[in-house]
Amino acid sequence: MNSPMRMPWVDTAKGLSIILVVMMYAAYNTGEYTGGVGFLHYVIGFATPFRMPEFFLISGLFLSQVIDRPWRRYIDRRVVHYLYFYVLWAIISIGLKIGIFSRDPAGMLHDLAMAVVQPYGVLWFIYMLAVFGLVAKLLRQFGVPAWIVIPCAAALQMWAPHPDSYAVEQFAAYFVFFYVGFVMAPLVFRLVEWTQPRPMLAVAGLLLWAVVNGLLVYSPGYAMQPVGMQMGLAAWPPLHLTLAVAGAVALCVLGGLLSQFASMEWLRWLGEHSLVVYVAFTIPMSLFRGAALASGLLTDTGMLSLAVLLVSIISPVVLYLIIQRVGFGMFLFERPAWAHIDNSAPLAAPSAALPAAAAQSSRT
């Protein structure tokens, strides 16, 4: 049942986002092993400018509701919350992949140690949310105005440095979207609220955006590869930044439209529980892809990518529902009481959702 503290369109937009994120890994992971390109490569290619910026922008939408809290409570909700899941699932992932499957205890200990300073695998997103939350609080504490932060963050994103530190690289690439979400939140909320009762105008606007985005991404110069793509004109840094923000806002509008349909309740639920999928999808993805290729029953890159996508999304959801039914193991998706540092923290996390939902559920 939908919590009254939540905004359905936000969860619906996050549902779209988590599907796009898993789709990217499903397509590129499959392409890496088949050496081919499938139809999902072109779908995710369209979303290249805004796929990850959308998640970070949504995560920043509710920052204004918590950023002025006392440091201890803020750190508990916006830093420790994410670090708990990062540490837990980094241990699980590295333990399984390196310690058990590769039978390399020394390599496992090395990767665990490196995971402290270098975000591990797909968990980099959760790691960076903790970093972004801390940096945003410090900027607020020292009174740095948005008109200074946003241009500097935008310049950093367009510069796109590639230092030895993966954390620094990802900070440069995505902090601007997190902070823009924070600053532009009132505008985004008003835009979604305005478009919801005007579906025809909203659809027309989304179609126009989709055409422009698609033409710029697939303009001359683009190249599709099994494990990635080179965009056309959209690769120009200022244009890439513009398309990223436009695409993120477009997905919010689309979430607002879809959230009004009862048939889209599954998508809203998926967005509300996006953490469940995000932290756990790589394990069934690798197992299923390996088994499918070994069996020889499914070798077409496009169809195999689609099958991998479905298994990668459905498997974590099934695991979550089983754990919920059994009543043991919820610490995998909900932060337990001992993992809080704030005395006013609830006994259990009210939601198993990722970034924005976590912010919504911690308004008090």
Side-chain angles (χ1 to χ4, degrees), residues 5-337:
M5 292 295 290
R6 307 186 66 88
M7 300 185 72
W9 73 260
V10 173
D11 286 329
T12 304
K14 287 170 69 259
L16 294 168
S17 296
I18 194 64
I19 290 174
L20 290 175
V21 169
V22 179
M23 184 186 297
M24 181 203 71
Y25 284 102
Y28 293 163
N29 182 269
T30 301
E32 180 181 2
Y33 285 89
T34 65
V37 170
F39 63 90
L40 279 189
H41 280 75
Y42 290 93
V43 177
I44 202 61
F46 170 85
T48 297
F50 60 86
R51 184 189 62 252
M52 291 309 300
E54 158 72 4
F55 251 136
F56 285 113
L57 186 141
I58 287 184
S59 299
L61 289 179
F62 297 92
L63 187 63
S64 62
Q65 300 177 8
V66 299
I67 198 167
D68 290 321
R69 289 176 177 176
W71 267 98
R72 186 180 182 89
R73 192 174 189 191
Y74 179 84
I75 292 297
D76 179 74
R77 302 301 202 275
R78 299 295 303 198
V79 179
V80 175
H81 179 82
Y82 300 122
L83 290 182
Y84 167 79
F85 292 110
Y86 173 76
V87 171
L88 173 64
W89 282 93
I91 292 174
I92 293 173
S93 300
I94 295 172
L96 286 174
K97 182 178 179 181
I98 310 299
I100 296 178
F101 296 152
S102 298
R103 298 180 181 178
D104 183 7
M108 179 186 70
L109 294 176
H110 173 269
D111 283 7
L112 285 172
M114 289 300 298
V116 176
V117 293
Q118 294 279 43
Y120 180 78
V122 301
L123 299 175
W124 69 268
F125 175 73
I126 300 176
Y127 183 103
M128 294 312 301
L129 275 173
V131 173
F132 290 171
L134 180 60
V135 171
K137 180 67 170 176
L138 288 171
L139 290 171
R140 182 77 160 191
Q141 185 77 21
F142 289 105
V144 184
W147 62 267
I148 291 180
V149 176
I150 291 180
C152 289
L156 199 58
Q157 194 274 341
M158 289 185 286
W159 177 31
H162 296 284
D164 292 335
S165 171
Y166 188 58
V168 173
E169 179 181 344
Q170 296 301 75
F171 181 90
Y174 295 109
F175 179 70
V176 63
F177 305 111
F178 179 79
Y179 208 81
V180 164
F182 165 48
V183 174
M184 288 180 52
L187 293 177
V188 174
F189 286 126
R190 284 200 293 268
L191 177 62
V192 174
E193 183 180 0
W194 185 84
T195 56
Q196 283 183 314
R198 299 172 175 84
M200 296 303 293
L201 282 176
V203 169
L206 288 171
L207 287 175
L208 177 61
W209 157 77
V211 169
V212 172
N213 183 85
L215 289 175
L216 291 173
V217 168
Y218 289 110
S219 56
Y222 90 89
M224 186 63 67
Q225 301 165 350
V227 293
M229 81 162 295
Q230 171 63 42
M231 296 186 294
L233 293 174
W236 184 49
L239 191 54
H240 187 185
L241 176 62
T242 302
L243 290 176
V245 175
V249 173
L251 254 64
C252 289
V253 172
L254 180 58
L257 292 179
L258 295 179
S259 66
Q260 300 179 93
F261 296 93
S263 59
M264 289 291 106
E265 172 61 17
W266 66 272
L267 185 59
R268 186 208 62 78
W269 188 95
L270 188 66
E272 180 181 352
H273 298 84
S274 54
L275 174 64
V276 172
V277 177
Y278 193 87
V279 298
F281 79 89
T282 58
I283 298 174
M285 172 180 288
S286 298
L287 293 175
F288 178 79
R289 183 256 310 146
L293 288 175
S295 69
L297 296 177
L298 196 58
T299 57
D300 176 73
T301 300
M303 295 308 298
L304 180 56
S305 297
L306 178 59
V308 169
L309 169 64
L310 294 174
V311 170
S312 300
I313 291 177
I314 294 172
S315 296
V317 172
V318 171
L319 173 63
Y320 172 75
L321 295 176
I322 291 174
I323 288 175
Q324 195 175 49
R325 183 66 177 267
V326 173
F328 175 77
M330 288 305 293
F331 68 91
L332 293 171
F333 305 115
E334 293 183 0
R335 186 165 53 128

